[in-house]
């Protein structure tokens, strides 16, 4: 089964509008649904915002739904001129930019204690332009964060993707991630851009959903 792990109801809405839901349950406070999308057995876990919620939602998808493929989708912020608002991108690698064992291990920022590299590789299919994702439990316009993210080489920032990647790495479950850009660094208030562009992002996700589900084969 392919299972979508999505942070917010508004991000899940384009999926649920076309999904033929067969089963609904609430597990550990997370909304979990199963059914069919374009003839493919799928599930959706609405996990909530942030890394801990994302990790919980991913583990629920694996343990309770038997997910063979995790698909993480949602809106995210663009960090450089290679991104456009309302466009969808596929994630090739993800890092937790607020995870720092530099002083203890001498490793790069974002390097998990169990890893040697800071960016984790995803199972990208190259359905869309490939970009690198930085994940942290922060939504802000911080110049310091922007500098750090740029130095890490990230193109996109969110609050869930790299946590999903960490769970999938340990569970040995395939992960694909797709992010629609709701705001761009240096183009004004992140919050204002996010609110203004949510509808456009939802339309993009709905339009590309079939390709996401079946583009890499059933």
């Amino acid at each position: 089964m392919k299972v979508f792990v999505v942070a917010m109801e508004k991000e899940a809405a384009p999926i649920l509008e076309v999904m033929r839901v067969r089963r609904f349950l609430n597990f550990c406070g997370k909304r979990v649904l199963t059914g069919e999308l374009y003839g493919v057995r799928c599930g959706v876990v609405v996990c909530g915002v942030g890394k801990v919620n994302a990790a919980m939602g991913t583990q629920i998808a694996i343990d309770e739904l038997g997910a063979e493929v995790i698909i993480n989708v949602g809106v995210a912020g663009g960090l450089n001129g290679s991104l456009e608002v309302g466009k969808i991108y596929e994630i090739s690698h993800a890092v937790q930019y607020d995870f720092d064992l530099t002083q203890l291990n001498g490793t790069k920022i974002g390097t998990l204690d169990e890893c040697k590299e800071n960016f984790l590789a995803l199972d990208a299919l190259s359905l869309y332009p490939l970009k690198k994702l930085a994940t942290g439990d922060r939504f802000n316009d911080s110049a310091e964060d922007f500098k750090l993210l740029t130095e890490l080489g990230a193109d996109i920032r969110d609050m869930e993707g790299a946590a999903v990647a960490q769970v999938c790495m340990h569970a040995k479950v395939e992960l694909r991630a797709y992010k629609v850009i709701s705001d761009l660094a240096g183009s004004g208030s992140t919050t204002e851009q996010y609110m203004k562009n949510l509808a456009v992002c939802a339309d993009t996700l709905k339009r590309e959903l079939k390709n996401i589900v079946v583009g890499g084969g059933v």
Side-chain angles (χ1 to χ4, degrees):
M1 179 186 288
K2 295 179 179 180
V3 181
F4 287 83
V5 174
V6 186
M8 299 181 291
E9 291 286 351
K10 61 188 69 176
E11 294 171 309
I15 302 170
L16 299 180
E17 283 178 20
V18 295
M19 183 176 178
R20 188 172 184 179
V21 177
R22 300 288 191 181
R23 181 171 175 247
F24 165 82
L25 64 134
N26 189 294
F27 193 91
C28 293
K30 312 300 181 190
R31 195 153 83 103
V32 180
L33 307 97
T34 59
E36 291 89 36
L37 275 168
Y38 310 107
V40 179
R41 285 185 68 239
C42 287
V44 176
V45 179
V46 185
C47 65
V49 175
K51 296 196 301 179
V52 173
N53 278 325
M56 287 178 62
T58 304
Q59 201 65 57
I60 289 169
I62 294 168
D63 290 344
E64 298 300 317
L65 302 184
E68 297 166 298
V69 178
I70 296 292
I71 304 175
N72 176 232
V73 298
V75 299
L79 297 169
N80 55 54
S82 71
L83 291 304
E84 295 181 47
V85 167
K87 299 293 185 181
I88 189 168
Y89 300 90
E90 187 167 3
I91 303 304
S92 63
H93 297 78
V95 64
Q96 295 179 49
Y97 71 89
D98 58 355
F99 188 95
D100 187 358
L101 290 180
T102 301
Q103 185 171 315
L104 181 64
N105 290 345
T107 50
K108 296 178 182 177
I109 289 177
T111 305
L112 304 172
D113 195 38
E114 65 269 34
C115 296
K116 294 182 179 180
E117 300 293 334
N118 56 354
F119 276 92
L120 303 181
L122 278 64
D123 301 286
L125 299 174
S126 298
L127 299 179
Y128 306 99
L130 297 175
K131 301 296 177 181
K132 290 186 175 182
L133 175 72
T135 297
D137 281 327
R138 298 198 285 268
F139 185 100
N140 60 33
D141 291 313
S142 164
E144 290 78 10
D145 274 3
F146 177 74
K147 182 175 183 292
L148 170 60
L149 293 163
T150 301
E151 289 173 349
L152 283 172
D155 303 294
I156 299 172
R157 69 181 293 183
D158 81 341
M159 297 181 69
E160 293 84 27
V164 177
Q166 184 177 0
V167 174
C168 288
M169 174 186 69
H170 286 296
K172 295 181 172 56
V173 172
E174 186 174 337
L175 170 62
R176 304 168 194 167
Y178 306 92
K179 301 295 174 177
V180 184
I181 302 303
S182 61
D183 52 273
L184 288 171
S187 298
S189 166
T190 296
T191 302
E192 290 177 5
Q193 291 183 73
Y194 168 80
M195 298 302 295
K196 176 183 176 182
N197 297 318
L198 269 179
V200 172
C201 294
D203 287 344
T204 298
L205 180 55
K206 189 172 182 179
R207 184 175 63 249
E208 299 298 334
L209 186 58
K210 184 175 182 179
N211 191 39
I212 290 171
V213 173
V214 303
V218 177

